Amino acid sequence: MRKLNNKVIIWPVYFDQNRSRSEGRRISKVQAVFSPKIGEVKEAADRLGLKNELNLEAHYPKMPWAKTGMLIVEKQETKEAIIKRLSRQLIKIKNQQDSEQPAKRK
């Protein structure tokens, strides 16, 4: 893997409520969201004002069969702090998406 000076790689699986820690989740299940997409992670980074670069062709190393994409973020603080800030924004984004969907009829 190439050397990233002053940048960190962020994978969607870090925030996935369906994954265990051994499968790649980096935050608690309470802070995680259901099946985050790389576009949502990018939107969260944009909302936080983080300089980022999107790579849609990347495969998470523990799941080489799945093209999840990755986000390369300029490092302004520790990686864990960035992940926690992104998770809070992802929760807000997911809540907005849920409120925008029309109610299901029975």
Side-chain angles (χ1 to χ4, degrees):
M1 177 171 267
R2 67 182 184 199
K3 179 79 172 162
L4 298 173
N5 291 332
N6 212 25
K7 295 183 181 181
V8 292
I9 295 175
I10 306 292
W11 299 94
V13 72
Y14 290 175
F15 311 99
D16 195 344
Q17 206 172 45
N18 298 326
R19 303 285 176 194
S20 67
R21 290 221 181 228
S22 64
E23 291 173 319
R25 183 172 44 83
R26 299 275 298 256
I27 56 174
S28 70
K29 284 199 173 195
V30 174
Q31 296 172 315
V33 295
F34 179 74
S35 299
K37 305 289 181 246
I38 192 65
E40 295 165 340
V41 177
K42 179 171 179 30
E43 183 180 343
D46 290 341
R47 285 186 184 187
L48 291 171
L50 299 173
K51 292 182 183 177
N52 61 72
E53 174 187 333
L54 184 62
N55 180 346
L56 295 173
E57 300 299 313
H59 301 265
Y60 184 62
K62 289 185 179 182
M63 297 182 295
W65 60 89
K67 208 183 279 189
T68 62
M70 72 176 179
L71 195 66
I72 302 171
V73 176
E74 192 171 296
K75 189 174 183 180
Q76 298 171 345
E77 53 195 330
T78 65
K79 184 173 183 173
E80 290 306 312
I82 292 170
I83 290 170
K84 286 180 181 179
R85 288 179 59 208
L86 286 170
S87 73
R88 287 191 292 269
Q89 276 300 319
L90 275 171
I91 290 170
K92 290 177 185 177
I93 290 168
K94 287 287 195 175
N95 287 338
Q96 284 177 344
Q97 289 174 352
D98 290 344
S99 67
E100 291 172 1
Q101 291 181 356
K104 292 182 181 178
R105 293 185 178 174
K106 291 184 179 181

